[in-house]
Amino acid sequence: MNRNRWPQAFFASAAFYAMIGVGWGLAMGITKNHATYSAHAHLNLLGWLSQAMMGTFYATVGQGVSNKVKATNFALTNLGVLLMIPGVGMYLGQAAPPAVFGPMITAGSLLVAAGFLLFGVTVILNLFKGSASTAAA
């Protein structure tokens, strides 16, 4: 993928998660069944907000970050969200046995954590790199 297209991928996934999150919230309001509100909130935070923030970083300050880092960040975070959120939803809605949702929550959480760790290290290194080049000038 073109280096400049990664922010668009993050924005597209953020929009996808936002649509699901809004639909989920609407369904909870209509049915007055808020049993899965925590999963809904995690989807909005990890899917919509966090993906949009990552896309914003890569579109602005992080343009020089390698494609490999961006692709890894995108894959880890999105795979994590796609596993963790349905797992938490099944757990809260009592829709599946622990043998099903337990591994989904565990694997998803670890993938999301790895994605955020990679993103955090990337941001910090990129910002220090920027301030070091500014100080040298």
Side-chain angles (χ1 to χ4, degrees):
M1 182 179 284
N2 179 317
R3 188 178 299 255
N4 297 326
R5 303 285 293 200
W6 282 110
Q8 294 169 348
F10 280 96
F11 292 141
S13 64
F16 173 74
Y17 295 131
M19 289 184 291
I20 293 173
V22 167
W24 193 345
L26 184 61
M28 285 190 301
I30 290 169
T31 63
K32 297 186 183 349
N33 179 354
H34 296 85
T36 60
Y37 77 91
S38 182
H40 157 77
H42 277 81
L43 175 63
N44 286 334
L45 177 62
L46 298 175
W48 175 65
L49 180 62
S50 296
Q51 295 290 317
M53 293 302 296
M54 289 175 185
T56 300
F57 170 78
Y58 290 126
T60 56
V61 181
Q63 290 179 353
V65 175
S66 76
N67 266 354
K68 185 176 181 180
V69 169
K70 293 173 186 177
T72 303
N73 188 187
F74 184 83
L76 288 170
T77 307
N78 279 283
L79 288 172
V81 168
L82 291 171
L83 281 171
M84 185 175 98
I85 302 306
V88 172
M90 283 188 263
Y91 165 70
L92 295 170
Q94 300 176 351
V100 173
F101 64 72
M104 290 175 70
I105 294 171
T106 301
S109 297
L110 292 172
L111 287 166
V112 166
F116 271 83
L117 178 64
L118 176 61
F119 181 68
V121 168
T122 301
V123 168
I124 291 166
L125 291 177
N126 195 284
L127 294 177
F128 279 123
K129 180 178 79 172
S131 63
S133 64
T134 303

